Amino acid sequence: MARDYYALLGVARNATDQEIKRAYRKLARELHPDVNPDPGAQEKFREVSSAYEVLSDPEKRRIVDLGGDPLESGGGMGGGFSNAGFGGLGDVFEAFFGGMNQGGGTRKPRGRVQAGADSLLRTRLSLQECAVGVTKHLTVDTAILCDLCQGAGTNGNSKPVRCETCGGAGEVQTVQRSFLGQVMTSRPCPTCRGAGETIPDPCRKCGGDGRVRARREIAAPIPAGVANGMRVRLAAQGEVGPGGGPAGDLYIEIVEQPHDTYVRDGDDLHCTIRVPMVDAALGTTVVVDTILDGPVELTIPPGTQPGEASVLRGHGMPKLRATSRGDLIAHLDIVVPTKLDSKQSDLLEKYKATRGNERTEVLSAQSEHNSGLFARLRASFSGR
């Protein structure tokens, strides 16, 4: 009859992982042999440790919920206890903070089947591709499931066997003398590498690993609004794990290429427009080729001053996972002519005569004009 692991920890069958952990820690404080020397407490501690080992493992908990007992074929309570196995009060503190050996003694073998590693690829995108989103077809060198043994790692109908070096425990123990007395240490078994089992007749294609290296093509959907340095996650598209374990994730890191016209700042786009002095004085319109909306007219009002900017609202980059967009900000560079012919000089002299008593002067640092100018200069130098 399967043991009631939920009852051993005193939790409901629908208990969360946190509730299970709290219940185990509470019982561990009361029952650990370094705290409670009662022989009955030692037996109870073994039971609650096994219960926590099972219920904290999603696969083992699933077996329990289906009416089975995942430890029935694995050596019962996990290898027994010895005085050296308790390790002192340090083990109690490790249990409270998640680092304790949950079996109370020898660790359970990790098994051959392990989750695969995550992978990272970088892809270059133009500003246009970042704006509209794109599907990138990429080539990745990765580990895939062995199609000959389907991840089993064995040849034909052969089966894995228990490791003779560690007896299936996945680790070997050594006893060393120190000034504190005899100290028992554990390390992964060098023969099975902690799996607890070996494959006498491995697969001819993967050598028993359950996976092989291969190159494959993937289609990576990149959403609109991504920016340089962002990563797009493709679930279960990474490497298949040892023993045919579940694949890790694949992350696509965006490398945004510089644009000839625009500089990106978050969701806003900045550009510089050169405006002749006369156009700045009289006002004009200029056609701007935007990233998403094509040619758009930008109005430059009469009397525009050097350093001013005109803004096209909503013509910048789309915001990631949103329907709104940033702005396009055009910085106006007023161009003063450096060479004038005699006719142009005469016209400007006549214009100057109509301006009355306007003259060149040095302004006070506290003037409204200079306050704004100095603020812009400080911002410019601080950004270098």
Side-chain angles (χ1 to χ4, degrees):
M1 180 177 179
R3 282 164 287 190
D4 190 345
Y5 293 107
Y6 292 100
L8 287 173
L9 289 180
V11 297
R13 299 187 69 85
N14 61 349
T16 65
D17 292 342
Q18 287 299 320
E19 290 171 339
I20 290 172
K21 183 179 291 186
R22 282 196 296 268
Y24 171 67
R25 288 178 175 176
K26 179 181 178 182
L27 290 171
R29 290 188 184 97
E30 301 171 359
L31 300 173
H32 193 280
D34 287 334
V35 177
N36 191 338
D38 182 11
Q42 296 184 17
E43 178 62 29
K44 184 67 174 176
F45 181 67
R46 283 196 291 269
E47 293 178 352
V48 299
S49 295
S50 293
Y52 179 68
E53 175 193 349
V54 170
L55 298 182
S56 62
D57 184 308
E59 181 60 27
K60 292 178 181 178
R61 185 175 181 179
R62 185 182 68 84
I63 294 173
V64 170
D65 292 340
L66 292 174
D69 189 338
L71 297 185
E72 279 186 349
S73 61
M77 290 296 179
F81 280 73
S82 67
N83 291 334
F86 292 133
L89 281 170
D91 286 350
V92 178
F93 291 108
E94 286 184 351
F96 299 158
F97 296 99
M100 180 184 172
N101 161 14
Q102 310 298 352
T106 304
R107 290 182 177 86
K108 286 289 181 180
R110 63 175 177 82
R112 290 182 50 256
V113 180
Q114 300 292 314
D118 295 338
S119 301
L120 175 66
L121 285 179
R122 291 181 176 86
T123 185
R124 297 178 180 272
L125 297 182
S126 66
L127 186 63
Q128 179 75 24
E129 290 174 321
C130 290
V132 300
V134 66
T135 297
K136 296 292 287 187
H137 296 275
L138 305 172
T139 300
V140 56
D141 292 316
T142 186
I144 64 173
L145 189 71
C146 176
D147 58 358
L148 183 60
C149 67
Q150 296 300 312
T154 56
N155 182 42
N157 295 323
S158 64
K159 301 292 182 182
V161 298
R162 188 172 67 173
C163 176
E164 295 182 355
T165 302
C166 64
E171 64 180 16
V172 292
Q173 297 179 334
T174 58
V175 178
Q176 297 176 331
R177 291 187 176 276
S178 73
F179 67 93
L180 295 175
Q182 289 187 339
V183 178
M184 179 177 289
T185 59
S186 300
R187 59 185 177 87
C189 175
T191 302
C192 65
R193 299 181 180 178
E197 59 184 19
T198 59
I199 300 179
D201 188 13
C203 172
R204 301 294 186 264
K205 186 171 184 178
C206 67
D209 194 32
R211 56 182 184 168
V212 294
R213 303 299 299 184
R215 175 171 292 182
R216 64 188 182 95
E217 303 293 324
I218 63 167
I222 310 296
V226 295
N228 188 62
M230 288 185 177
R231 292 182 178 182
V232 178
R233 174 176 172 265
L234 302 182
Q237 293 296 313
E239 292 193 350
V240 168
D249 297 331
L250 175 62
Y251 290 88
I252 309 297
E253 185 172 295
I254 306 302
V255 179
E256 185 179 304
Q257 299 295 93
H259 193 268
D260 291 338
T261 302
Y262 295 108
V263 174
R264 184 175 182 178
D265 180 18
D267 300 317
D268 295 332
L269 294 176
H270 295 258
C271 68
T272 300
I273 298 178
R274 300 192 69 185
V275 183
M277 179 186 69
V278 174
D279 287 342
L282 300 178
T284 187
T285 59
V286 61
V287 176
V288 179
D289 192 13
T290 62
I291 290 293
L292 291 174
D293 305 307
V296 174
E297 276 196 354
L298 173 67
T299 299
I300 299 175
T304 296
Q305 299 298 304
E308 289 188 1
S310 293
V311 180
L312 289 173
R313 302 290 180 190
H315 286 282
M317 295 293 288
K319 298 183 178 181
L320 192 63
R321 293 184 291 273
T323 56
S324 58
R325 285 160 54 179
D327 301 327
L328 192 156
I329 303 168
H331 300 268
L332 305 179
D333 180 16
I334 309 302
V335 181
V336 178
T338 57
K339 293 183 179 180
L340 299 172
D341 59 27
S342 58
K343 183 177 181 180
Q344 291 168 337
S345 297
D346 290 341
L347 289 173
L348 284 178
E349 287 291 347
K350 292 177 181 178
Y351 167 75
K352 180 180 178 180
T354 66
R355 299 297 292 177
N357 59 354
E358 280 188 347
R359 59 190 177 88
T360 302
E361 60 181 326
V362 178
L363 295 178
S364 166
Q366 282 71 43
S367 68
E368 181 180 349
H369 179 273
N370 269 346
S371 297
L373 173 63
F374 293 154
R376 291 195 296 271
L377 286 174
R378 283 194 295 269
S380 174
F381 282 113
S382 65
R384 291 186 178 181

